[in-house]
Amino acid sequence: MRIATWNVNSIRARVDRVTDWLQRADIDVLAMQETKCNDEQFPSMPFLAAGYEVVHCGFNQWNGVAIASRVGIDDVQVGFDGQPTWSDKPEAEGTAEARALGATCNGVRVWSLYVPNGRTVDSPHYVYKLEWLAALRDSANKWLAEDPSAQIALVGDWNIAPTDEDVWDMEVFKDSTHVTPPERAAFNAILEAQFTDVVRPFTPGPGVYTYWDYTQLRFPKNRGMRIDFILGSPAFAQRVTHAEIVRDERKSGKNRIGSPSDHAPVLVELG
């Protein structure tokens, strides 16, 4: 069974590229982030034509998460218990954003997660990011307390580079989000809740990234960040036999369908 995650950076712009890769890479389950559409706008038909069921959570042109599966989709859940709310307008009441979608696919509980960016360290969105991660940790703790043998995969764009080697130049990011001690502590708290980064042992760094900005030739120069992860529960982690970051899918040009996302897919194979 092959499970992947991919921040697609607008599914309507990249649906042909995504469905083409799904079939070439023989993926059974794909979690997607940053779909940038509401549920009615999501292009389900190309996935169905390729043999995949798909569920999506999107409220507007921002955020958005989805799961496509050819091995079944059961027990769909939009958001996790205690997921914080957010509003860009201080006078408006916050709402839960389209950032978390869970489904059980062939016995594996897959959560497609698009962790808040945080914007700047002095922004209320940074506080929201930390609260969001703390609530996720609490939910993850609860899931494993209820069933220690559960196969759970927390996958997606975490918007955190957990170690210095996960960015191309720490000096560039020293005053930015994604690398601050509180964010890294929040990520590590998920690991302390018995979840494991199941991809890193197969793709050690430094210089191994999942995201490259479109500007300043960041991709050709390999000036990227490692911010997309698959974190597995103990029962899930012990099944992983292979993992990779599919860097070639960040490429554009000849023999490629459409423009690339600024993220590469990340995949694991289960035995």
Side-chain angles (χ1 to χ4, degrees):
M1 185 172 170
R2 288 163 69 84
I3 298 175
T5 182
W6 197 355
N7 178 321
V8 296
N9 190 16
S10 179
I11 188 58
R12 288 179 290 173
R14 278 173 258 284
V15 61
D16 292 339
R17 189 180 183 108
V18 171
T19 53
D20 173 70
W21 179 74
L22 270 179
Q23 296 170 91
R24 284 190 290 107
D26 196 27
I27 301 299
D28 294 298
V29 181
L30 174 65
M32 291 166 274
Q33 303 84 41
E34 208 171 355
T35 58
K36 294 185 177 179
C37 64
N38 62 37
D39 290 345
E40 291 72 29
Q41 295 170 323
F42 188 90
S44 298
M45 288 307 297
F47 288 92
L48 296 173
Y52 293 82
E53 299 176 76
V54 64
V55 289
H56 177 256
C57 172
F59 306 132
N60 48 41
Q61 73 272 32
W62 309 114
N63 310 319
V65 282
I67 298 172
S69 172
R70 65 181 184 187
V71 293
I73 294 181
D74 299 303
D75 302 322
V76 176
Q77 181 179 340
V78 173
F80 51 84
D81 293 343
Q83 181 176 326
T85 60
W86 171 257
S87 174
D88 272 313
K89 300 177 181 178
E91 70 278 8
E93 185 177 354
T95 58
E97 296 185 296
R99 292 186 176 275
L101 180 66
T104 300
C105 306
N106 193 26
V108 176
R109 188 66 174 166
V110 178
W111 278 94
S112 181
L113 304 170
Y114 183 38
V115 175
N117 178 282
R119 300 180 183 170
T120 61
V121 292
D122 59 353
S123 167
H125 204 262
Y126 177 80
V127 177
Y128 164 61
K129 178 179 189 176
L130 297 178
E131 292 174 345
W132 200 96
L133 288 160
L136 175 63
R137 176 207 59 215
D138 291 345
S139 284
N141 266 323
K142 179 183 176 183
W143 297 331
L144 281 182
E146 292 173 346
D147 183 4
S149 65
Q151 297 180 61
I152 305 171
L154 307 178
V155 313
D157 178 356
W158 291 76
N159 273 315
I160 298 170
T163 73
D164 286 358
E165 75 174 23
D166 295 329
V167 296
W168 66 275
D169 186 348
M170 271 299 296
E171 187 64 22
V172 172
F173 294 94
K174 65 178 182 180
D175 297 319
S176 303
T177 60
H178 291 52
V179 299
T180 65
E183 290 168 289
R184 288 178 168 178
F187 184 90
N188 286 331
I190 306 290
L191 302 182
E192 291 164 5
Q194 299 186 65
F195 285 81
T196 302
D197 178 354
V198 296
V199 177
R200 195 181 294 266
F202 296 88
T203 59
V208 179
Y209 309 125
T210 65
Y211 163 83
W212 302 260
D213 191 87
Y214 289 124
T215 62
Q216 299 178 322
L217 297 175
R218 289 282 174 86
F219 181 66
K221 295 177 180 179
N222 199 32
R223 294 178 174 177
M225 305 178 73
R226 186 175 188 143
I227 57 176
D228 302 84
F229 298 94
I230 296 177
L231 304 187
S233 65
F236 179 90
Q238 70 181 9
R239 292 186 62 194
V240 175
T241 59
H242 174 73
E244 62 184 277
I245 297 166
V246 192
R247 190 179 188 277
D248 278 358
E249 291 306 313
R250 175 60 176 81
K251 295 179 180 178
S252 58
K254 198 172 182 180
N255 300 322
R256 301 194 177 270
I257 298 174
S259 62
S261 169
D262 44 5
H263 293 250
V266 180
L267 70 84
V268 294
E269 187 165 336
L270 305 182

